[in-house]
Amino acid sequence: DKGAGLSDNMFYEFMDWLGIPEEEEEEFGWIAEEASMTPIPEEWVTRNTDDGRTYYHNTATKAIRWEHPVYVAYRELYEEERDRLAD
């Protein structure tokens, strides 16, 4: 069941960003829902390049990444859960 206020389109976009196939929605859709409601961690800030591309900067570690830090963590969670259930 999708979270309140999360449209079907946004839900499936989160599924796609996280690499979760639609046929696995029943098992892993909760991960996309949780990711959609998780704010960017406090130490991360959003920046834009001169040509308008968005990137993320960690003010504590000075790390830079092109993917939203929440998506990375939830993609890893999906992969761990998928592997755990496959065993």
Side-chain angles (χ1 to χ4, degrees), residues 66-84:
W66 292 102
E67 289 187 296
H68 193 294
V70 167
Y71 302 165
V72 173
Y74 280 97
R75 183 177 302 118
E76 289 171 359
L77 174 62
Y78 160 65
E79 292 168 356
E80 289 168 6
E81 288 295 308
R82 182 195 61 210
D83 293 347
R84 184 180 64 78

Side-chain angles (χ1 to χ4, degrees), residues 15-26:
M15 296 260 302
D16 186 51
W17 288 328
L18 299 174
I20 303 172
E22 285 188 30
E23 61 269 13
E24 294 183 357
E25 175 184 347
E26 190 172 316

Side-chain angles (χ1 to χ4, degrees), residues 25-36:
E25 175 184 347
E26 190 172 316
E27 288 177 299
F28 302 110
W30 65 270
I31 296 173
E33 183 179 344
E34 194 172 303
S36 73

Side-chain angles (χ1 to χ4, degrees), residues 20-65:
I20 303 172
E22 285 188 30
E23 61 269 13
E24 294 183 357
E25 175 184 347
E26 190 172 316
E27 288 177 299
F28 302 110
W30 65 270
I31 296 173
E33 183 179 344
E34 194 172 303
S36 73
M37 295 184 288
T38 303
I40 190 170
E42 194 173 293
E43 65 274 10
W44 288 93
V45 294
T46 304
R47 303 266 192 238
N48 291 304
T49 63
D50 291 340
D51 63 355
R53 293 178 56 206
T54 300
Y55 67 94
Y56 303 89
H57 176 242
N58 184 311
T59 58
T61 66
K62 308 300 184 215
I64 293 174
R65 60 171 49 157

